[in-house]
Amino acid sequence: MKRKEILDMLQKARAEGYAIPHFNFSGFFELLAVMEVAAELKTPVFAASLPKVTKTYGPKVLRAAVDELAARTGARVYLHLDHTGSVELCKEAVNAGYDSVMIDASRCTLEENISAIKEVAEYAHSRGCAVEGEIGKIKSRGDEGDFQGEDCLVQVGDAVRLAEESGVDYLAAAIGTAHGFYKGKPQIDFERLGQVSAGVSVPLVLHGGTGIPEEDVKKCIKEGIAKVNVGTIIRYTYLDRLQEEIEKQGALTPPVDLIYPSVTDSVKEVVKGWIRTCMSEGKG
Ligand code: 13P
């Protein structure tokens, strides 16, 4: 439960022009890879579980795993619940000792979004947990037909109102990025990002990291992004390399011999690349 530490860390990153990387993990080996690299490159990181992953293992199991691995590797890692629309799941994660939770009510009305964040923030803050919210609609795979152009993008006035009224600690604002692999080059609205950044005092979060060119991520950091979320490329690398290893070594090989270290080494290279893009190496 490290809300104060997280807020100081993100404000420092924002002031000094770098970002804290956030990596989604689906299982133990990805988590281990992220933590080993975080320790090696001396960077703070968020290790994030999406709702399905959180519920499958149980938040207490993930809390215990991160604690044990942090003690073993020396990594500075903040455990984060990513993108849930469920206030109840947020509370469950807070009770299990998560450091940070994201309540994503971005598809509701502004008033409903503010009120969901408020409810989570009141519960989480008193227990030392930080809260992320979302404004505008950051698209995911499968959303393609649902929202068009400007409709998805954050309205600056809404972001300002939500930041002032909800108690949110850091904010994901829709600026044209999306979750999953991009079909072309992402069209990021840097101007809008700059306007949101100038209008709110809370740090901003870049979602949909996978596939954004390095120079664009750096430009976003310059415009006020303090946390960069990366997910798809972690699980894709893990599964793609695992498939290769199964083809090479056969499915009779014990899974740990297939995965560690050959598959996890590839995941670690991806994690290293993102830490360098975020310019957070040595900031831990
Ligand atoms: P990608 O899966 O596109 O990297 O996005 C991750 C993310 O934003 C998680 O919140």
Side-chain angles (χ1 to χ4, degrees):
M1 290 293 190
K2 298 174 181 142
R3 175 169 179 252
K4 168 87 174 63
E5 207 176 297
I6 291 174
L7 300 191
D8 290 348
M9 170 181 76
L10 291 176
Q11 289 295 3
K12 185 168 185 280
R14 188 186 193 192
E16 294 181 7
Y18 61 93
I20 307 301
H22 149 137
F23 297 105
N24 289 97
F25 65 91
S26 309
F28 183 82
F29 286 109
E30 292 150 290
L31 178 62
L32 180 60
V34 166
M35 293 185 70
E36 285 182 340
V37 175
E40 186 186 331
L41 298 190
K42 298 188 174 32
T43 173
V45 294
F46 287 89
S49 58
L50 283 159
K52 229 184 240 178
V53 171
T54 311
K55 289 187 218 160
T56 301
Y57 293 99
K60 286 186 188 160
V61 172
L62 296 180
R63 176 72 270 175
V66 167
D67 286 345
E68 285 297 323
L69 290 176
R72 199 176 101 187
T73 58
R76 182 173 160 200
V77 175
Y78 300 96
L79 180 60
H80 173 85
L81 170 65
D82 204 22
H83 280 291
T84 182
S86 161
V87 171
E88 281 319 304
L89 185 60
C90 285
K91 290 182 179 175
E92 210 187 307
V94 171
N95 292 339
Y98 270 56
D99 304 301
S100 169
V101 294
M102 178 186 193
I103 176 74
D104 178 0
S106 59
R107 301 193 178 202
C108 304
T109 64
L110 179 61
E111 283 68 27
E112 286 164 345
N113 194 354
I114 291 173
S115 123
I117 295 173
K118 226 180 194 169
E119 186 179 348
V120 172
E122 271 163 23
Y123 192 85
H125 289 173
S126 61
R127 291 160 177 84
C129 177
V131 177
E132 179 174 334
E134 176 172 322
I135 185 80
K137 297 174 184 73
I138 299 170
K139 293 202 248 183
S140 295
R141 205 174 47 171
D143 282 344
E144 289 77 6
D146 294 353
F147 306 105
Q148 297 301 331
E150 287 271 313
D151 286 358
C152 314
L153 298 177
V154 59
Q155 299 303 314
V156 181
D158 290 353
V160 172
R161 202 180 136 201
L162 183 132
E164 280 170 3
E165 294 180 19
S166 67
V168 76
D169 290 314
Y170 25 101
L171 188 57
I175 52 166
T177 64
H179 301 111
F181 287 116
Y182 294 94
K183 285 201 183 105
K185 187 177 184 287
Q187 299 302 312
I188 300 177
D189 192 336
F190 296 103
E191 200 183 328
R192 197 178 290 253
L193 170 61
Q195 289 165 353
V196 174
S197 181
V200 303
S201 57
V202 295
L204 297 177
V205 182
L206 184 68
H207 278 246
T210 299
I212 303 179
E214 182 174 347
E215 64 274 17
D216 283 359
V217 177
K218 289 189 165 157
K219 216 167 151 186
C220 288
I221 294 171
K222 218 168 162 193
E223 292 290 348
I225 289 288
K227 174 174 179 276
V228 173
N229 288 14
V230 182
T232 301
I233 193 63
I234 303 292
R235 48 184 185 271
Y236 173 81
T237 303
Y238 178 78
L239 289 178
D240 190 55
R241 282 286 295 112
L242 179 57
Q243 190 172 19
E244 253 178 55
E245 287 302 317
I246 294 171
E247 276 161 22
K248 226 193 290 173
Q249 300 189 48
L252 281 175
T253 314
V256 70
D257 295 336
L258 287 171
I259 298 166
Y260 196 87
S262 40
V263 172
T264 44
D265 274 356
S266 301
V267 175
K268 282 165 86 168
E269 282 313 304
V270 172
V271 171
K272 275 184 192 169
W274 275 97
I275 289 169
R276 293 190 170 125
T277 297
C278 290
M279 300 170 286
S280 68
E281 187 174 357
K283 307 290 187 189

